[in-house]
Amino acid sequence: AGRALPPRALAPRVFVVVAPSRLRGTRYMLGITAHVLRHRHPITRGIGIGRGGGTAAIRGAGRLRTAREGHRDVMAGCGGQKSGGCCGEAKGGTRDEQIRDGVKEYYGETLKGSGDLRTSACTASCGPSGVVKDIIKRIPEPVTSKFYGCGYPVPLGIEGKKVLDLGCGSGRDCYIASALVGEKGFVTGVDMTPQQLQVARNHAEEFCKGLNYAGVNMRFVEGYIEDLVSVGIEENSVDLVFSNCVVNLSTAKERVLSQVHCVLRPGGEFQFSDVFADGELSEEARTDKVLVGECLGGALEIGAFTAMAEATGFARTEMTEKTEIQVHDPELKKLVGQTKFFSITWRLFK
């Protein structure tokens, strides 16, 4: 049975549930703090606190919901119902729509190449393996020059697998995966930015011919990462989902995780690199166009993310890489204050 935190610690008419759950074979208490809910941290915006959503909170009077019930509510969305966020259809939220449109403009029009970036967020990582380095050398230059990411989340040993890239952009990671899955595997990239998708499509045939494939083993579709089913990704159909510095751009991050869990086959894996913070950002920082566009404004707190992944239903989480991100621009430094940011690669297992 869960227990509620003291009333004075909570925002008005919000309950917090602390429910037992299972992670890595041991029992522990999973809680989402009143601080996160009260200050509308990015993980809670878009899940509808006060608007009928959420995995561990309800509005108003009534019995407290358990984490298991919350998980059922999230997974009920697998049928393709659209959700708010910068990568999905906002539910009457002007703020979310502005963030989404700002991200589209930033990646579709503002950035012409990696030299235009004002932080290291979209370039920070420890570097790829030798195998991946060799593949990148074969990828057409327009694809690599227009790609923005904070890691190398595509793992080795995926030959013959069916894989999905969330927020594929110009497609660099899809091209890497294309070489790694081989001619019998298949890669799908989903993105909401038409300009980036066109770059990815323009060079797919050329690249696959260079690998001596009889056909093209990748496709690129326009859509939202919160609504994978609506773009033709079937439930329980994907062996591996990966993404590179994209989840933070969504204001409905729990919806993204639930959709990933939905389309993964049992035993499948979500491996992704993204930006995380060691504290909560101010509202000004969370809505700043450049900070959001460069993946810092929507950065999750590490503890909040692992709690969200567990509540969504992932069996376990593993951190495989962590690199601190540098903010060089004086104006942006002032906005983020003392907050530290990290590029982290995670593995989540269904």
Side-chain angles (χ1 to χ4, degrees):
R3 62 181 179 85
L5 295 177
R8 64 183 179 184
L10 304 174
R13 299 176 66 78
V14 172
F15 294 95
V16 174
V17 175
V18 181
S21 189
R22 182 175 296 275
L23 182 64
R24 296 176 185 171
T26 61
R27 302 289 290 182
Y28 80 112
M29 301 302 287
L30 170 64
I32 299 178
T33 66
H35 177 72
V36 169
L37 295 174
R38 183 172 64 247
H39 293 285
R40 306 291 285 160
H41 187 276
I43 72 164
T44 64
R45 289 195 301 273
I47 64 177
I49 293 178
R51 292 178 290 162
T55 60
I58 56 173
R59 69 184 189 276
R63 68 184 184 88
L64 298 180
R65 292 158 56 196
T66 67
R68 183 178 301 275
E69 290 172 320
H71 169 59
R72 284 202 301 266
D73 290 347
V74 171
M75 294 310 296
C78 286
Q81 180 182 1
K82 290 200 174 184
S83 177
C86 72
C87 301
E89 180 179 274
K91 290 186 176 181
T94 302
R95 178 185 179 280
D96 286 356
E97 289 178 339
Q98 289 175 344
I99 292 176
R100 176 198 61 196
D101 293 342
V103 170
K104 275 189 174 181
E105 179 184 339
Y106 199 70
Y107 284 93
E109 301 173 20
T110 304
L111 294 180
K112 305 304 180 185
S114 58
D116 297 325
L117 296 169
R118 295 169 63 183
T119 74
S120 69
C122 294
T123 57
S125 75
C126 294
S129 66
V131 173
V132 172
K133 281 183 180 178
D134 290 340
I135 296 172
I136 291 175
K137 291 176 183 177
R138 307 180 69 168
I139 299 175
E141 188 275 338
V143 173
T144 57
S145 66
K146 287 285 290 181
F147 185 83
Y148 313 104
C150 59
Y152 296 88
V154 187
L156 303 180
I158 58 174
E159 187 173 357
K161 300 296 185 182
K162 185 176 180 181
V163 304
L164 171 66
D165 183 3
L166 304 184
C168 63
S170 65
R172 188 203 68 180
D173 286 346
C174 287
Y175 281 65
I176 293 172
S178 169
L180 292 174
V181 300
E183 195 169 6
K184 294 183 179 179
F186 197 82
V187 182
T188 299
V190 176
D191 201 274
M192 67 173 182
T193 312
Q195 299 95 323
Q196 290 280 73
L197 287 171
Q198 193 57 53
V199 174
R201 291 169 181 149
N202 285 346
H203 305 278
E205 184 176 356
E206 169 194 350
F207 180 75
C208 289
K209 280 184 178 179
L211 296 174
N212 296 317
Y213 292 171
V216 178
N217 71 339
M218 39 180 173
R219 68 175 180 130
F220 299 95
V221 297
E222 185 174 347
Y224 301 124
I225 63 175
E226 294 93 343
D227 198 4
L228 298 174
V229 175
S230 73
V231 296
I233 312 299
E234 297 180 355
E235 298 179 27
N236 303 309
S237 66
V238 180
D239 299 302
L240 169 73
V241 178
F242 60 86
S243 75
N244 201 334
C245 213
V246 169
V247 176
N248 71 84
L249 296 174
S250 174
T251 56
K253 296 173 177 64
E254 81 300 325
R255 174 69 180 177
V256 175
L257 289 184
S258 73
Q259 283 283 283
V260 170
H261 191 278
C262 182
V263 301
L264 277 173
R265 291 184 175 129
E269 176 183 344
F270 181 28
Q271 184 156 322
F272 73 109
S273 299
D274 222 306
V275 176
F276 293 82
D278 66 352
E280 185 180 353
L281 292 170
S282 67
E283 179 68 12
E284 184 181 9
R286 289 199 302 265
T287 55
D288 181 80
K289 187 174 181 179
V290 175
L291 283 177
V292 172
E294 300 212 6
C295 304
L296 302 182
L300 278 170
E301 291 176 295
I302 296 173
F305 162 71
T306 55
M308 183 194 300
E310 171 68 9
T312 301
F314 285 98
R316 61 190 175 96
T317 61
E318 290 183 6
M319 182 190 296
T320 63
E321 183 181 309
K322 182 179 180 181
T323 305
E324 187 169 353
I325 292 168
Q326 303 300 321
V327 180
H328 308 295
D329 188 275
E331 293 180 12
L332 300 183
K333 277 187 175 181
K334 185 177 180 180
L335 278 175
V336 301
Q338 299 300 312
T339 303
K340 291 184 178 181
F341 299 92
F342 302 90
S343 166
I344 299 178
T345 299
W346 294 92
R347 299 178 70 188
L348 278 61
F349 300 89
K350 179 176 178 179

